[in-house]
Amino acid sequence: MCWAWTVATAACLVGSQPAGHALADLEELDLAETCESCLAKGGGWCTTEQRCVEDDVAYCEAESLIGLAGFTDDCGSDEEGQKPHVRPWIDKGVLVSYIHENGTCCGTGIVHRAYHVLEEYTVLLQDGSKEEVKTERWNKRKPAKKKDENSEYHNIEFRYFKPQELTVLSGLRPGDLVQAHFAVKTKDAGEELVKSRRTEPAVVVNTTRTHVAVNFTSDHIVSILPRDFLVDLTNDTLAPGRARHTEL
Ligand SMILES: *[C@@H]1O[C@H](CO)[C@@H](O)[C@H](O)[C@H]1NC(C)=O
Ligand SMILES: *[C@@H]1O[C@H](CO)[C@@H](O)[C@H](O)[C@H]1NC(C)=O
Ligand SMILES: *[C@@H]1O[C@H](CO)[C@@H](O)[C@H](O)[C@H]1NC(C)=O
Ligand SMILES: *[C@@H]1O[C@H](CO)[C@@H](O)[C@H](O)[C@H]1NC(C)=O
């Protein structure tokens, strides 16, 4: 399939990322599905978040962490993990909009941390950064003195959104199997990407507000595509009775 890709626009990313990159490893940990596969990878299973994190209490409280750094490494002790898996409506990687604290509409961003038991979520402030939306109180604080900056970090007031404060614009998230158009070759390399007529199955690698990286199932070509290249059924699969929150 890759012959049809336009290299000039970098739509077809051949080859893989450098191995052993710490961040890449972490992201990979994030994608682990079950407690068992997580521990097998050397991660720790965080029961409050129902996801794989680093096996370190810095990432999950010890009493909730299954792994070498937790109180137990027995996956059977996680009752939640034994239940049939229900796909959360809001989850890490989904695109949401939210009303600003000052009442103006609206911010959009990708859900970064999802605490399913607590029903609290953090949202990335912008694409290409791990910075999360913080409270207005925090944004308006007096800046810390230089020497206090490190200790101040631990006091950051993230805005923890409740489900009713978030409107899901797209429920696509890493690991989803989707149908995606691919970019076809054009004579003029400067042109914008041209959408293929047909779609092919692909697995979502990651999401930003505007783009989704997918891994095409047929040839494992990884491509970063505009969102409209993907068949996104979020609004069609809206559960009955589940209104989108900000729509009046
Ligand atoms: C409201 O808050 C948002 C986010 O902090 C900011 O971008 C916007 O300018 C504010 N609007 C008003 C009217 O204060
Ligand atoms: C779903 O509907 C909302 C509101 O009309 C819209 O903003 C959003 O882009 C839609 N999502 C998709 C994936 O089409
Ligand atoms: C998403 O994945 C692609 C391909 O692996 C990578 O190049 C890109 O940096 C990733 N983007 C984010 C926001 O993680
Ligand atoms: C794409 O999928 C293949 C097969 O599952 C996998 O080996 C490869 O690591 C994936 N690439 C990325 C960047 O996720």
Side-chain angles (χ1 to χ4, degrees):
M1 193 180 80
C2 199
W3 57 269
W5 289 67
T6 153
V7 174
T9 56
C12 173
L13 303 182
V14 191
S16 54
Q17 292 188 301
H21 189 269
L23 190 61
D25 289 347
L26 247 186
E27 311 250 272
E28 193 178 303
L29 280 181
D30 273 349
L31 296 178
E33 294 276 41
T34 65
C35 176
E36 283 82 6
S37 64
C38 173
L39 264 57
K41 277 188 175 188
W45 184 254
C46 192
T47 58
T48 46
E49 293 183 48
Q50 287 292 302
R51 69 183 187 95
C52 199
V53 296
E54 270 205 73
D55 190 3
D56 187 321
V57 292
Y59 294 87
C60 182
E61 285 179 16
E63 56 264 37
S64 309
L65 182 64
I66 298 177
L68 298 179
F71 292 166
T72 175
D73 64 356
D74 173 15
C75 284
S77 66
D78 178 19
E79 284 174 22
E80 197 62 31
Q82 307 300 308
K83 292 182 192 161
H85 187 70
V86 184
R87 177 181 171 88
W89 178 244
I90 304 173
D91 207 353
K92 185 180 170 74
V94 313
L95 176 65
V96 293
S97 78
Y98 56 90
I99 296 180
H100 294 297
E101 275 180 293
N102 60 18
T104 63
C105 181
C106 281
T108 60
I110 298 293
V111 171
H112 191 216
R113 287 182 282 148
Y115 300 98
H116 294 300
V117 175
L118 295 170
E119 293 198 298
E120 288 182 344
Y121 308 89
T122 64
V123 174
L124 291 177
L125 198 55
Q126 58 198 17
D127 289 336
S129 149
K130 297 261 183 245
E131 197 186 345
E132 296 172 314
V133 177
K134 307 195 188 53
T135 63
E136 281 297 298
R137 202 169 75 134
W138 173 262
N139 288 333
K140 290 188 174 138
R141 80 198 181 284
K142 290 203 200 88
K145 293 199 187 82
K146 200 91 191 150
K147 68 174 165 61
D148 295 335
E149 266 174 8
N150 282 338
S151 58
E152 191 188 37
Y153 177 80
H154 298 284
N155 302 327
I156 291 180
E157 292 180 29
F158 295 108
R159 191 169 163 198
Y160 289 98
F161 293 90
K162 293 306 250 181
Q164 58 272 21
E165 294 178 305
L166 297 173
T167 300
V168 175
L169 301 178
S170 169
L172 293 180
R173 67 202 72 176
D176 278 359
L177 184 62
V178 294
Q179 286 287 330
H181 297 272
F182 46 93
V184 291
K185 201 173 206 148
T186 55
K187 277 181 205 143
D188 179 3
E191 268 178 60
E192 54 181 296
L193 297 184
V194 176
K195 227 192 238 186
S196 65
R197 203 177 283 257
R198 66 193 168 93
T199 60
E200 291 209 350
V203 175
V204 173
V205 177
N206 63 40
T207 59
T208 66
R209 281 193 282 213
T210 55
H211 289 74
V212 176
V214 297
N215 189 343
F216 279 98
T217 307
S218 60
D219 54 13
H220 302 156
I221 299 292
V222 174
S223 179
I224 299 173
L225 298 170
R227 279 188 176 268
D228 68 353
F229 273 55
L230 277 74
V231 179
D232 189 336
L233 301 173
T234 304
N235 287 342
D236 307 326
T237 57
L238 213 56
R242 172 167 333 249
R244 281 189 299 270
H245 306 295
T246 56
E247 281 199 59
L248 301 171

